[in-house]
Amino acid sequence: MKTTGAERGAFDFRRLVNHDDNIGQLLLITAAVFVAMAALSPEKFLRYYNFESISFTFPELGLLSIAIMVAMLTGGIDLSIIGIANLAGVLAGVLFHRLAPGASASLGLSAVAGGIALALAVGVVAGALNGLLIAKLRITPILATLGTSQVFTGLALVLTGGPAIVGFPAGWNFIGNGKIGGVAAPFVIFVALAAGVSFILSRTAFGAKLMLIGANAKAAVFAGLDTERVVFQSYVLTGVLASVAGLILSGRTNAAKSDYGASYLLEAVLIAVLGGTNPAGGRGAVLGVSIAVLALMLLSSGFQILRFSNFLIDFIWGGFLLLVIAINVTRNRQR
Amino acid sequence: MPISFLRRPEAIVVVVLAIAMIGIGVVNPAFWSLDNQFGLLRSNVVIGIMALGVLLVMISGGIDVSFPAFAVAAMYLTVKGMIQFDYTGVALPFFAATVIGLLLGGFNAFCIRAFRMIPLIVTLGTASVVRGLLLGLVGTSTINVDKMPPQLIDFGKTDLVNLTLADGSRYGLTAMILIYAALALAIHLALRYTLIGRSLYAFGGAPEAAARVGFDTRKTLFFAYCTAGALAGFAGLLHASMIWLANPRDFVGFELDVIAAVVLGGASIFGGKGSVPGTLLGVFLLVMIKNSLIIMHIDTTWQQVVVGLVIIGATTLTAWRDRKRVA
């Protein structure tokens, strides 16, 4: 049946909500968070500025969450995403300082392009290393990425010697702070990449293979899938997504450090699980994760407005993660 | 005899350890001084006790990244309590810290069992909950040496032997090494000769099979995580008494070192494998490598890279070993 774009969009949406009640539940949670926060502190929460600032800060976490979701699709996990992100930012910073010692902030667009290429290369190489360890050498993803995260973070520490690298060129800062047609540049990047990953996962052979391997690795091997290659590529994809997150983070803060965003790891795992990803593999969607990021960012901005202590927010995230797990279990049992 | 020794999983650690010791000794002969060796043994105690707990969890096929948070919570709460009540004993506080760790470990086991959730994700969550509560509600300030209960410090100061260096400064071998040895022996015997210990290997090797032959797998799981929590709680307070302060932000990232040590010692994350002697060797190797970077004149910023490479190297070897078994 042929449908017009608008009709199909509506059809898709209804099918999504009916078919996958996880998305519906997530939208409900997001709406509830929004209403609760708006009711608690309307004059501060419901300002345009608040939502604008969310659109600048959420892409980093969103990309990291999608990155960890991709790793979870095959039943793995990538604990090195924060290390990759920081190493990407730090290496770009080192490049800028080498190109123009003392005047790195005034470097032009060609240098920025070089920095972007370097940051992405970090993602590819780091992801390939993880993929090599996990797919070829058969090391458990937890241990392999635990080890590589130490190596990446450690290398960033060796390169910086401890303090943050500052003085990024203006073009680099645009990536984190600029606006494209009135929309936050990081947000534009996030939407583009999320759409790309969503396409890869749902419309390409690679995506279908990933899901199959995650759902039943043994069956995938017997079905003749090149499991090694697909898993390897999935970790490269995770690495690249993490490096883009690092690029945005260093652009937004105009600094790169070996231990930025340490709390992002737990949040990324939480968001991926909250967004309907099965950590045992085989299930997960970019849309669910994206909505989960939004819900969490609204919640977190509300907490900040309500002046919750950062430690209490840590507690809430951890508790939330356990709660989501518990809810998922009871729901699955009822079926 | 030599061949059967080489087949043992610990053999490779012994060989690596010997090579590393000779290498470090060549770079800086000060490595072999009694002073340095005593210092190394001292650094083994806290990480080693925690590693014994993680070993149990890993034999059961799980992983635990929450024990540093439990250790810090047990330590800080106990020291605060001692100051609050002007308590002068030492035994009861250590008991309390152990119980706090045990209960928190039980919570881990409950979540993993009831929600059938991957241990890594559950323990990430519980670690965040415990650290958040501790820093958010109990306090963020370090209890310094002037506020620490003196009995606790005296306990940590106990030495087995006390020697004097040529320049007159004194050094000794801490008596805490005896506690570590006793706990290691207890875990070793429990793993080898008790039903619950054997059930850990069975459960880690094949959970379904273990349940079918009649092991109470719920008990097995609780045993692993509760013991890991209890040992972490105990080690947390011991750490405070050995360094004379209680910092509620301590042990951040410590799980990596401990897990690295246990994996170095031959435990497999797939479960069913691992031994106490292997773990002791793994702990000693890791502590030695980390501590010796300084006497080998390598910049300390490299420490993290080295630990990471050690984890990768050890897991690669384990994976290679396990693959050969299958083939």
Side-chain angles (χ1 to χ4, degrees):
Chain A
M1 192 178 75
K2 262 196 153 186
T3 48
T4 65
E7 271 177 83
R8 205 171 58 192
F11 170 68
D12 262 354
F13 182 74
R14 203 179 307 138
R15 194 199 61 178
L16 262 175
V17 175
N18 289 341
H19 204 72
D20 190 349
D21 57 14
N22 184 45
I23 301 278
Q25 184 191 337
L26 269 173
L27 285 171
L28 217 67
I29 293 178
T30 314
V33 168
F34 184 87
V35 171
M37 289 305 163
L40 280 170
S41 180
E43 69 285 2
K44 281 183 185 153
F45 186 76
L46 289 176
R47 277 188 311 173
Y48 175 70
Y49 170 77
N50 187 33
F51 297 108
E52 193 184 31
S53 97
I54 288 180
S55 74
F56 277 99
T57 50
F58 114 120
E60 297 150 28
L61 189 54
L63 286 174
L64 290 172
S65 307
I66 294 176
I68 219 160
M69 178 202 78
V70 171
M72 281 179 175
L73 286 178
T74 55
I77 196 161
D78 191 340
L79 301 174
S80 69
I81 48 170
I82 313 291
I84 296 175
N86 285 326
L87 186 60
V90 163
L91 262 179
V94 169
L95 173 76
F96 296 140
H97 280 272
R98 283 279 160 84
L99 287 176
S104 54
S106 57
L107 279 168
L109 280 181
S110 57
V112 171
I116 293 174
L118 182 63
L120 293 180
V122 169
V124 172
V125 172
L129 177 63
N130 282 335
L132 182 79
L133 294 171
I134 293 162
K136 307 273 179 205
L137 298 177
R138 306 279 160 104
I139 302 180
T140 341
I142 296 176
L143 291 179
T145 56
L146 211 61
T148 55
S149 79
Q150 292 292 289
V151 173
F152 301 150
T153 311
L155 283 177
L157 184 65
V158 169
L159 285 168
T160 59
I165 287 194
V166 292
F168 283 91
W172 189 267
N173 288 339
F174 180 82
I175 299 170
N177 293 317
K179 282 187 181 178
I180 300 172
V183 183
F187 188 71
V188 174
I189 298 172
F190 171 79
V191 170
L193 282 176
V197 175
S198 182
F199 177 82
I200 290 174
L201 292 183
S202 56
R203 294 278 183 277
T204 65
F206 170 74
K209 286 178 193 164
L210 260 189
M211 298 288 181
L212 281 176
I213 292 169
N216 191 335
K218 214 169 248 174
V221 172
F222 285 129
L225 292 186
D226 189 355
T227 313
E228 251 178 44
R229 216 176 103 172
V230 175
V231 172
F232 176 83
Q233 287 168 345
S234 79
Y235 279 93
V236 174
L237 178 59
T238 297
V240 170
L241 288 170
S243 69
V244 177
L247 212 159
I248 295 175
L249 176 65
S250 60
R252 187 172 63 82
T253 57
N254 189 23
K257 197 163 178 267
S258 58
D259 59 355
Y260 270 161
S263 65
Y264 274 170
L265 182 63
L266 175 81
E267 288 172 38
V269 171
L270 165 60
I271 289 167
V273 175
L274 182 65
T277 312
N278 180 1
R283 204 160 57 88
V286 172
L287 185 63
V289 174
S290 306
I291 299 173
V293 186
L294 189 64
L296 233 74
M297 288 308 286
L298 288 174
L299 203 60
S300 139
S301 107
F303 286 153
Q304 266 154 23
I305 288 170
L306 295 173
R307 294 182 183 281
F308 272 43
S309 99
N310 278 334
F311 307 124
L312 232 45
I313 295 181
D314 278 354
F315 162 71
I316 292 168
W317 282 173
F320 210 44
L321 177 60
L322 296 175
L323 190 72
V324 169
I325 295 171
I327 291 174
N328 282 350
V329 168
T330 37
R331 260 194 4 180
N332 289 344
R333 275 208 193 126
Q334 277 165 5
R335 274 181 206 167
Chain B
M1 171 64 190
I3 290 170
S4 68
F5 167 74
L6 283 176
R7 283 221 187 107
R8 289 182 61 89
E10 292 88 13
I12 200 153
V13 199
V14 174
V15 173
V16 174
L17 189 63
I19 295 172
M21 285 176 116
I22 293 168
I24 298 167
V26 166
V27 176
N28 190 343
F31 170 79
W32 288 109
S33 72
L34 211 52
D35 187 10
N36 185 51
Q37 293 296 319
F38 282 1
L40 276 183
L41 284 174
R42 181 188 162 85
S43 315
N44 267 277
V45 173
V46 169
I47 176 173
I49 294 175
M50 291 194 191
L52 291 171
V54 173
L55 170 70
L56 296 185
V57 169
M58 285 186 70
I59 292 175
S60 82
I63 196 156
D64 187 350
V65 293
S66 63
F67 62 88
F70 296 176
V72 105
M75 162 185 75
Y76 198 64
L77 286 172
T78 314
V79 174
K80 275 232 149 179
M82 283 179 80
I83 296 170
Q84 185 78 36
F85 300 114
D86 266 328
Y87 190 78
T88 52
V90 172
L92 186 64
F94 272 103
F95 180 71
T98 310
V99 170
I100 293 173
L102 183 107
L103 293 176
L104 291 170
F107 184 62
N108 267 344
F110 167 77
C111 290
I112 292 165
R113 175 88 188 174
F115 308 145
R116 298 223 179 83
M117 197 56 183
I118 299 176
L120 174 72
I121 291 174
V122 167
T123 52
L124 267 176
T126 51
S128 180
V129 164
V130 170
R131 267 197 201 276
L133 271 186
L134 185 74
L135 292 167
L137 297 183
V138 183
T140 55
S141 55
T142 300
I143 298 169
N144 282 318
V145 61
D146 53 325
K147 294 259 176 56
M148 280 286 280
Q151 302 78 20
L152 207 56
I153 292 180
D154 288 340
F155 178 73
K157 269 187 197 164
T158 321
D159 277 341
L160 268 185
V161 272
N162 230 310
L163 299 166
T164 311
L165 276 180
D167 63 2
S169 61
R170 297 176 67 79
Y171 67 99
L173 176 62
T174 175
M176 304 306 124
I177 202 87
L178 287 181
I179 299 178
Y180 176 35
L183 286 170
L185 184 66
I187 300 282
H188 179 69
L189 294 177
L191 277 177
R192 296 206 72 153
Y193 301 112
T194 67
L195 190 61
I196 189 87
R198 299 321 293 173
S199 81
L200 263 182
Y201 285 100
F203 181 73
E208 187 61 40
R212 294 223 177 143
V213 297
F215 281 119
D216 183 352
T217 54
R218 195 176 59 105
K219 210 165 120 189
T220 309
L221 199 72
F222 271 88
F223 173 70
Y225 286 91
C226 286
T227 316
L231 287 170
F234 180 85
L237 190 60
L238 193 62
H239 176 71
S241 91
M242 285 170 80
I243 64 167
W244 310 348
L245 49 86
N247 176 3
R249 293 165 211 257
D250 215 333
F251 290 135
V252 171
F254 202 67
E255 63 274 15
L256 292 169
D257 285 4
V258 176
I259 292 171
V262 176
V263 175
L264 264 179
S268 160
I269 197 179
F270 296 115
K273 288 200 189 78
S275 71
V276 170
T279 302
L280 299 184
L281 287 167
V283 169
F284 189 80
L285 182 57
L286 186 88
V287 169
M288 190 186 77
I289 291 173
K290 279 190 85 167
N291 286 22
S292 299
L293 288 181
I294 302 163
I295 65 169
M296 288 171 78
H297 311 297
I298 296 171
D299 200 286
T300 45
T301 48
W302 283 94
Q303 228 179 42
Q304 217 171 359
V305 181
V306 172
V307 173
L309 290 175
V310 167
I311 298 182
I312 295 173
T315 45
T316 308
L317 274 177
T318 325
W320 175 72
R321 173 195 80 188
D322 292 354
R323 180 149 62 168
K324 266 182 81 174
R325 289 257 172 87
V326 176

